Amino acid sequence: PAKADDQAKPAEPAAAPAAAVSPAPTPGEQWITGSVDFGYRWVSDVGGSLPTYRSIVNLGSGPKLTGLDFTITDPKHRLFDRLDARANAWGGDPYNTAHIDVSKRGLYELRGDYRNISYFNELPSFANPRAPLGFNEQAFDTHRRSGYIDLQLFPGKHFLPYLVYERNSGYGHGVETWVEDSNNEYAVPMLLRDSTNNYRGGFRLEYNRWHVTVEEGGTTYKDDDQASFNGVNYGDRTTSLLGTTLILNTLTQTYGTRGSSTYSKVLATASPFSWLDLNGQFLYSLPKTDARYFDSATGNFVLLSSLLLYSGQYDIGTAGASGKHVLGNAGAEIRPFKRLKIIESFSSNRYDETGIGALTEQILFTPGATYPALVSALSTPQVVTDNRQQVEAIVDVTRKLTLRGGYRYEWGDATVRAGNLSQSGTLVASGALKRNVGLAGATIRPLKKLSLNVDYEGASTTQDYFRTDLYNYQKVRARARYQASASLGFQANFAILDNQNPSQGVQYDFRSRDNSLSAFWTPNGGKRISVMAEYDRSTLYSNIDFLLLPFFTPTVSSYKENAHTATS
């Protein structure tokens, strides 16, 4: 029993419950991950030819950013959700790149890319006894840069605007040859610079049953080349001509081109019903270009056509062209019954081009007299229209037989510059196209391992553009395939084209046949060995009237070819 004094003591208070242990604070979310590789390259004491080293290897020395790859995420999603960037081979290497992706969910996606290629080539392309050892008359030390910025707004939404800018440019210097009246070639230094910019923007409408894309864009282009020389240049010719040594003393040559284009594009697809699909496209472009050329040279030259010596020359050339291009097509696929499919398509393509060019050539004789300037001008109008309408029906007669049949009508007209040997006596030649084409075909699957496919196309033409174009023709293609086993298969192909053009002065007859048989053996899926063997027999025959120069004598050109080809 407890002692009385112990019982008299007040009870001790119960121990307080242990305090809950607070977890350690969670570290902040990691907002950047990635890697970076730095290095340094020493290139010294190249034991052979430095131009050869640069032409083949071209790796420079110094500090290098070998690789960079990182990702940044913003947990608060303020300006962006995620940013990805990467870069490779920066620091003087011949090929380096950079890329960046930035996105914010539901608001935008931004992509950018940059690439830089250095091209150096000074390897001799042919022997030139007068050139210094290892000298290359077609040498280049150039850089090619390309990049783009692509901004897409509201990704995943129904309305998606976008804007894209692309640029490709090059610059550098090198060596080229200046040719004097085909008598001699002189290696001279040159400068190169060009650039192309493309701008395009528009929007897409994306819905379950239809889609529309509207885009407007433009392109600008420029190219400037310049060559110059001052001194004594004997060129590649090692012998004299008309008793004199050819020499180039001074040269100034410039070439410049400017071009621009605007274009519009509309694309649309729709499936208003489960049995109907529609599609359409419209494209319009208007490109323009201008070119300027000038060269002035002095030295000791020969004009072989007149057996004359002269001391200088200059040429001035100008040219310009513009072309309007309109392309439209539309199509529909109709499935009125389960086993029947009807495909209708229409396309129209028209381009209207005009080109103007002029060249002035002046020769300066040694005493200071001048040769009469030769001025040649060229104006080339060209208007071509092509149209095509086609309807085709495909019906599954049974599970083993599918038949196809259709009709195509092609028509158009063309006005182009006549050939130099045209007998019409005019500068313009006109033509037209009118062609009716019948289509037929069948797919037969009599056995599980055997399939046959046959296509036929027959046409009747009343007018065409070219003498050697298809006119009244029949075209047949057939293919049979037999899969004897999982590893052994056979295939046979047959094709024939028979074309005749009975027009007066043409009388074109063309026939082509091609037959082949092939076998494929791939045991165990071709894991260790696969064997292919094929035999092909082809024949070709053509016969056409033409005019034989210089007296335009009516003549027949005949050609025949028979070939056996075995491949294994």
Side-chain angles (χ1 to χ4, degrees):
K3 296 180 180 179
D5 54 348
D6 290 335
Q7 294 179 0
K9 290 181 181 179
E12 295 181 2
V21 179
S22 300
T26 303
E29 185 176 346
Q30 191 171 10
W31 61 274
I32 182 170
T33 59
S35 62
V36 57
D37 295 331
F38 287 104
Y40 194 98
R41 181 186 298 119
W42 286 266
V43 178
S44 61
D45 192 22
V46 176
S49 166
L50 182 60
T52 302
Y53 172 82
R54 291 201 58 195
S55 299
I56 299 176
V57 183
N58 205 22
L59 294 177
S61 60
K64 310 291 178 183
L65 175 60
T66 307
L68 175 66
D69 191 344
F70 67 87
T71 298
I72 299 177
T73 58
D74 184 1
K76 296 185 178 181
H77 309 286
R78 288 165 291 193
L79 297 179
F80 61 89
D81 298 333
R82 181 186 178 100
L83 185 152
D84 297 293
R86 61 180 183 270
N88 291 284
W90 285 81
D93 281 359
Y95 180 62
N96 44 74
T97 65
H99 187 87
I100 186 171
D101 290 330
V102 188
S103 62
K104 186 172 176 61
R105 184 177 181 181
L107 184 60
Y108 72 87
E109 291 180 355
L110 177 65
R111 294 181 176 87
D113 190 87
Y114 172 83
R115 298 173 185 272
N116 177 36
I117 301 175
S118 299
Y119 175 64
F120 184 94
N121 186 353
E122 201 176 341
L123 296 178
S125 55
F126 63 95
N128 183 355
R130 289 203 174 191
L133 183 62
F135 180 73
N136 182 14
E137 293 189 342
Q138 298 293 332
F140 297 93
D141 187 2
T142 60
H143 294 265
R144 172 65 52 183
R145 295 175 176 175
S146 63
Y148 70 84
I149 298 177
D150 186 347
L151 176 62
Q152 308 280 334
L153 298 178
F154 314 129
K157 307 296 183 180
H158 293 302
F159 178 65
L160 296 89
Y162 62 90
L163 184 64
V164 181
Y165 168 69
E166 300 167 306
R167 178 176 173 83
N168 187 294
S169 63
Y171 67 94
H173 60 272
V175 177
E176 67 173 359
T177 55
W178 181 78
V179 182
E180 176 264 322
D181 197 36
S182 301
N183 299 320
N184 202 355
E185 295 185 4
Y186 305 90
V188 294
M190 66 173 176
L191 298 176
L192 303 171
R193 185 174 295 273
D194 70 87
S195 65
T196 302
N197 299 283
N198 181 260
Y199 315 81
R200 55 189 177 93
F203 63 88
R204 293 191 295 269
L205 296 175
E206 298 278 2
Y207 287 87
N208 292 334
R209 291 186 173 271
W210 58 277
H211 155 266
V212 174
T213 296
V214 178
E215 181 176 298
E216 183 73 20
T219 299
T220 60
Y221 168 80
K222 66 178 181 179
D223 183 6
D224 294 302
D225 299 346
Q226 179 179 346
S228 61
F229 178 79
N230 189 2
V232 177
N233 190 335
Y234 293 101
D236 293 341
R237 191 179 187 94
T238 59
T239 60
S240 62
L241 185 63
L242 296 183
T244 186
T245 301
L246 302 182
I247 300 174
L248 173 67
N249 294 128
T250 64
L251 171 69
T252 300
Q253 183 186 57
T254 60
Y255 172 79
T257 301
R258 297 293 183 271
S260 64
S261 175
T262 58
Y263 62 89
S264 305
K265 177 172 67 174
V266 180
L267 309 174
T269 61
S271 298
F273 308 103
S274 60
W275 49 269
L276 177 63
D277 292 333
L278 303 172
N279 64 83
Q281 175 181 257
F282 174 79
L283 299 173
Y284 171 84
S285 65
L286 183 61
K288 299 179 181 179
T289 182
D290 294 288
R292 300 290 185 269
Y293 174 80
F294 170 79
D295 78 17
S296 176
T298 63
N300 194 21
F301 310 129
V302 172
L303 184 63
L304 275 181
S305 58
S306 302
L307 300 178
L308 296 174
L309 303 178
Y310 65 98
S311 61
Q313 72 174 55
Y314 73 84
D315 303 285
I316 300 176
T318 60
S322 64
K324 181 172 65 175
H325 187 190
V326 181
L327 170 65
N329 57 59
E333 182 176 306
I334 307 171
R335 299 173 294 275
F337 306 105
K338 183 179 180 180
R339 295 179 177 271
L340 177 62
K341 180 190 300 182
I342 301 174
I343 302 174
E344 168 72 26
S345 63
F346 169 80
S347 65
S348 179
N349 188 13
R350 175 185 174 90
Y351 55 92
D352 187 340
E353 299 179 351
T354 301
I356 299 176
L359 175 64
T360 301
E361 300 174 284
Q362 182 76 53
I363 292 178
L364 309 175
F365 290 107
T366 304
T370 61
Y371 191 78
L374 301 178
V375 180
S376 58
L378 174 68
S379 178
T380 307
Q382 180 167 279
V383 181
V384 178
T385 303
D386 283 316
N387 303 292
R388 171 180 292 196
Q389 186 271 332
Q390 177 175 308
V391 59
E392 187 176 16
I394 303 174
V395 56
D396 293 325
V397 180
T398 66
R399 295 177 56 186
K400 298 184 177 182
L401 176 61
T402 300
L403 299 179
R404 300 185 298 277
Y407 167 77
R408 181 170 72 235
Y409 179 57
E410 303 172 7
W411 74 100
D413 55 76
T415 301
V416 299
R417 180 177 175 85
N420 294 333
L421 302 178
S422 173
Q423 298 297 291
S424 62
T426 64
L427 297 177
V428 176
S430 300
L433 172 66
K434 292 183 179 180
R435 179 181 296 141
N436 296 276
V437 185
L439 308 171
T443 299
I444 308 171
R445 297 170 291 274
L447 302 173
K448 184 177 180 181
K449 297 182 178 181
L450 176 64
S451 63
L452 306 172
N453 191 306
V454 180
D455 289 297
Y456 170 80
E457 188 173 314
S460 175
T461 304
T462 57
Q463 291 178 292
D464 68 348
Y465 293 137
F466 311 108
R467 289 164 43 86
T468 56
D469 201 359
L470 294 177
Y471 203 84
N472 299 330
Y473 70 90
Q474 293 79 40
K475 182 190 299 183
V476 179
R477 291 178 296 179
R479 182 182 67 180
R481 184 166 185 173
Y482 179 67
Q483 193 70 34
S485 64
S487 60
L488 180 62
F490 300 92
Q491 183 169 305
N493 294 279
F494 170 78
I496 182 172
L497 171 62
D498 194 349
N499 179 52
Q500 293 88 32
N501 185 345
S503 302
Q504 183 67 28
V506 179
Q507 298 295 327
Y508 182 44
D509 187 11
F510 177 90
R511 286 188 296 274
S512 172
R513 294 182 182 179
D514 190 282
N515 312 288
S516 67
L517 179 64
S518 56
F520 305 90
W521 183 50
T522 56
N524 197 19
K527 184 177 180 180
R528 297 186 179 276
I529 183 174
S530 60
V531 179
M532 181 274 292
E534 181 181 51
Y535 168 73
D536 183 276
R537 163 66 171 169
S538 62
T539 63
L540 186 147
Y541 166 79
S542 71
N543 201 74
I544 189 171
D545 293 351
F546 76 106
L547 299 178
L548 182 64
L549 296 177
F551 302 108
F552 300 97
T553 307
T555 313
V556 176
S557 172
S558 297
Y559 179 80
K560 183 181 291 186
E561 178 183 295
N562 299 317
H564 299 268
T565 305
T567 306
S568 64

